[in-house]
Amino acid sequence: MTTDQKHASTDRELTGSEILLRCLIEENVEFIFGYPGGAVLPIYDSLYYGSIKHILYRHEQGAIHAADGYARATGKPGVVIATSGPGATNLVTGIATAQMDSIPLVCITGNVPQQLIGTDAFQEADITGITMPITKHNYLVQDVRDLPRVVKEAFHIASTGRPGPVLIDIPKDVSNAKAPFSYPETVSIRGYQPTTNPHPLQIEKLHQAIAESKRPLILAGGGVVTSGSDQELIAFAERAQIPVTTTLMGLGGFPGTHPLWLGMPGMHGTVAANRALLECDLLIGIGARFDDRVTMGRIDKFATGAKIVHIDIDPAEIGKNVDTYIPIVGDVKRVLEVALQDLPVCQSETWLEKLEQLKQQYPLTYKQSDNTLKPQWVIQHLYETTGGDAIVTTDVGQHQMWVAQYFRFSRPRSLISSGGLGTMGFGFPAAIGAQLAYPDRTVISVTGDGGFQMTAQELAVVALANIPVKVAIINNQCLGMVRQWQEVFYQRRYSEVDLSGSPDFVKLAEAYGVKGMRARTQEEARQVWREALDHPGPVVIDFQVDPEENVYPMVAPGAGLDEMMLGDE
């Protein structure tokens, strides 16, 4: 690894912690999400005089999910700091969450002085070893003179190619050591040169396949959102007349109200999207990794009659889960820009008519009730009252799927959800990070009564700083998705899913100084949600919903997309 030109510098020697802060300023870092401790005391002492805003969380997991939410909302790396030992290991779930969804993070951990490493010193943990499989790259800084180069490289690696988390572990003696400061302007890393431009021959093959296809389909994933190629995707689909289905991570990458949109595919996908996957003759995967929530792991039943085109910036994804007829490695935005030149039109009129009939015949639906509040209705109400323009974060489970089904996202980076790892406790702190990035937008944390209790302590953060996140708890008094599986696949043997002993969420919010409200009917829900939108600060709403409501459509584990369960709605 080499550095080239250098710009910001000083003749005065700085400590490692001062150098770190100068580097973060050079990277235009707005917020640091973190929690102090013994091994990072020098860094926090430097922060005392610094200009970067530090947000003090109540748990390191909340801090890293907030950094993640900030990164997903802005596309810029989120920065989190934690101390050695348990502080560092408390970041692990957040790092894995970001790694699975290709989110750029720079995670800074302190460590014991180098002479104590390997001695089982107090609060010592091998965090670089622990996180090696779940980071894009990590560093143990052993010389303070390396720190500027390491930080420069970390931001470069985290945010280029396929983004991901990078960890920098700084022993306390490195933070205290002194060196002249000089920040590199550019960075060149041997062996790390992501391919962004597609091979022209592969684009020609793509054009030929499109011209010959009568039943084409685009499967758009999170890569569309990451690359900022939503407008190119719209132009590509409209010009070639190809219908689009978007994965969970791809929602917002194509407008949810567009006539060519079929909905989300896979386990809880729409009938139209799954039938299109089964019957298409050309499947163009764009920034999607063909994971098991889409294919159900049944490749023998997935798009069996289709030629598969796979567009992705990460060559390791090509051919990993499905056999690929035309591999195209490159940045999705750049690939679509090139592919739009001389793009042929498909012979897809009959195909589009058939899919439109399926959309009309099998819409997403549920039974209304005069006695209970339906969770699907709550999500629809949130969508209708915000014009689909809000940033929505979720945890994982039933509420996550209802958001994916009933909130029609119209722009990218509007849905912030743990797609790959499926992390409970993610949504609320992620909403705080997104709200800090966009203080003037409505940010809604849709969460379950289970997931909210995993990071509810971060109510202190929104209360103290008056961060106006609106928390919508879809409270069914149980672990809903686990209960649903136990109902459907384990003959109603409900084992350890009852959360009826949870606290009064209104009183819990009020204990932190946050406005709390509750709704049990549609009338109450309309009233309290309007109050929430009008309230200038944070709000927690306890939407008490039908505890036996299930998510449909559904494909059972081990089944193919041709075996959808539609429920009794």
Side-chain angles (χ1 to χ4, degrees):
M1 298 179 182
T2 60
T3 55
D4 297 318
Q5 302 174 15
K6 304 177 186 305
H7 59 139
S9 61
T10 177
D11 294 333
R12 181 174 67 88
E13 286 196 333
L14 303 179
T15 64
S17 59
E18 291 171 330
I19 289 172
L20 174 65
L21 267 294
R22 290 288 298 268
C23 293
L24 297 181
I25 291 170
E26 289 294 321
E27 293 294 336
N28 297 313
V29 172
E30 295 178 279
F31 298 101
I32 296 173
F33 306 87
Y35 201 100
V40 289
L41 278 174
I43 297 173
Y44 273 80
D45 188 55
S46 297
L47 269 173
Y48 185 81
Y49 299 101
S51 58
I52 301 176
K53 180 71 174 176
H54 179 276
I55 310 297
L56 176 62
Y57 280 76
R58 297 302 183 267
H59 193 288
E60 290 88 352
Q61 186 171 352
I64 192 168
H65 290 330
D68 186 315
Y70 173 86
R72 295 186 198 231
T74 64
K76 298 187 287 188
V79 178
V80 61
I81 294 181
T83 192
S84 62
T89 56
N90 280 342
L91 298 180
V92 168
T93 296
I95 294 172
T97 301
Q99 174 76 352
M100 286 287 279
D101 291 343
S102 306
I103 305 304
L105 293 184
V106 174
C107 309
I108 299 165
T109 53
N111 208 333
V112 300
Q114 291 183 80
Q115 69 269 22
L116 294 180
I117 290 179
T119 67
D120 293 334
F122 177 67
Q123 291 194 331
E124 182 195 358
D126 176 14
I127 195 62
T128 52
I130 291 169
T131 61
M132 185 174 292
I134 56 171
T135 51
K136 187 174 177 183
H137 194 62
N138 66 27
Y139 297 89
L140 171 62
V141 184
Q142 297 176 281
D143 189 324
V144 67
R145 293 171 296 183
D146 293 335
L147 200 48
R149 173 185 59 80
V150 166
V151 174
K152 183 71 179 179
E153 290 177 359
F155 276 85
H156 177 70
I157 293 170
S159 58
T160 56
R162 180 178 182 172
V166 177
L167 183 137
I168 306 172
D169 193 30
I170 307 175
K172 195 171 184 178
D173 59 300
V174 174
S175 291
N176 286 324
K178 289 189 174 182
F181 172 65
S182 180
Y183 199 62
E185 188 170 274
T186 60
V187 60
S188 176
I189 303 172
R190 182 181 298 173
Y192 180 71
Q193 301 293 334
T195 300
T196 55
N197 289 314
H199 195 290
L201 182 60
Q202 301 304 88
I203 297 298
E204 288 181 20
K205 291 180 178 177
L206 170 64
H207 283 178
Q208 183 178 353
I210 290 173
E212 295 172 352
S213 174
K214 295 183 178 178
R215 300 188 308 278
L217 177 66
I218 292 171
L219 174 66
V224 173
V225 176
T226 300
S227 68
S229 57
D230 52 298
Q231 294 303 310
E232 288 77 9
L233 177 59
I234 293 171
F236 185 86
E238 289 180 344
R239 201 175 299 176
Q241 283 298 288
I242 304 177
V244 178
T245 178
T246 44
T247 68
L248 177 65
M249 296 302 298
L251 290 173
F254 193 81
T257 54
H258 196 288
L260 286 173
W261 190 61
L262 303 179
M264 185 178 70
M267 177 175 282
H268 294 292
T270 64
V271 171
N274 283 346
R275 287 281 293 276
L277 282 169
L278 289 167
E279 298 177 19
C280 63
D281 64 3
L282 175 66
L283 178 58
I284 307 173
I286 305 178
R289 55 191 178 88
F290 296 94
D291 72 292
D292 62 308
R293 280 297 177 111
V294 172
T295 66
M296 302 306 300
R298 292 295 304 271
I299 305 303
D300 59 316
K301 290 191 171 187
F302 180 78
T304 53
K307 295 176 179 176
I308 295 180
V309 180
H310 195 172
I311 302 170
D312 204 288
I313 195 163
D314 186 354
E317 287 295 334
I318 306 291
K320 186 175 82 175
N321 292 325
V322 296
D323 291 334
T324 305
Y325 180 71
I326 304 175
I328 303 178
V329 177
D331 175 76
V332 167
K333 186 179 182 71
R334 182 61 187 143
V335 172
L336 290 179
E337 286 174 346
V338 175
L340 278 167
Q341 299 169 21
D342 302 319
L343 180 67
V345 179
C346 288
Q347 309 164 52
S348 57
E349 295 86 353
T350 304
W351 173 239
L352 292 175
E353 289 174 6
K354 176 178 181 176
L355 295 177
E356 183 59 32
Q357 289 173 2
L358 285 172
K359 287 163 65 176
Q360 299 300 324
Q361 187 177 355
Y362 298 103
L364 293 169
T365 186
Y366 58 94
K367 281 185 179 177
Q368 289 284 3
S369 171
D370 295 330
N371 302 317
T372 59
L373 187 59
K374 291 289 185 173
Q376 300 96 324
W377 182 89
V378 174
I379 304 302
Q380 283 182 314
H381 189 63
L382 301 184
Y383 167 68
E384 291 165 359
T385 52
T386 57
D389 194 42
I391 295 175
V392 179
T393 72
T394 77
D395 278 5
V396 66
Q398 287 183 316
H399 72 275
Q400 181 192 40
M401 292 297 100
W402 285 318
V403 166
Q405 291 178 334
Y406 290 95
F407 202 104
R408 298 291 186 93
F409 294 94
S410 59
R411 52 197 280 196
R413 302 193 182 280
S414 294
L415 172 62
I416 294 175
S417 186
S418 173
L421 198 65
T423 304
M424 291 180 70
F426 169 83
F428 175 45
I432 301 173
Q435 187 76 81
L436 288 168
Y438 294 103
D440 296 328
R441 289 186 66 181
T442 299
V443 177
I444 309 169
S445 167
V446 179
T447 183
D449 46 322
F452 183 61
Q453 293 185 72
M454 290 190 175
T455 46
Q457 74 280 350
E458 308 306 344
L459 283 169
V461 177
V462 296
L464 289 170
N466 196 35
I467 301 169
V469 170
K470 314 305 179 189
V471 181
I473 303 173
I474 306 300
N475 182 2
N476 55 10
Q477 301 183 52
C478 65
L479 294 171
M481 189 60 87
V482 182
R483 184 205 58 75
Q484 178 172 337
W485 280 45
Q486 290 177 346
E487 174 188 328
V488 177
F489 305 121
Y490 294 88
Q491 294 74 51
R492 296 180 182 268
R493 294 192 297 277
Y494 299 125
S495 179
E496 304 298 331
V497 292
D498 184 1
L499 296 181
S500 57
S502 297
D504 182 323
F505 293 117
V506 174
K507 290 182 178 178
L508 179 66
E510 292 172 347
Y512 279 100
V514 173
K515 186 179 181 64
M517 294 183 284
R518 178 173 294 113
R520 296 185 179 90
T521 65
Q522 288 187 13
E523 182 178 353
E524 291 176 352
R526 288 191 185 95
Q527 180 179 340
V528 299
W529 181 242
R530 175 45 55 194
E531 285 186 43
L533 289 177
D534 291 340
H535 183 66
V539 179
V540 172
I541 303 177
D542 179 11
F543 289 106
Q544 297 201 347
V545 301
D546 185 345
E548 296 190 352
E549 193 69 18
N550 288 335
V551 182
Y552 287 109
M554 180 181 187
V555 180
L561 294 178
D562 59 333
E563 300 171 84
M564 296 183 72
M565 302 160 61
L566 301 181
D568 57 358
E569 285 81 2

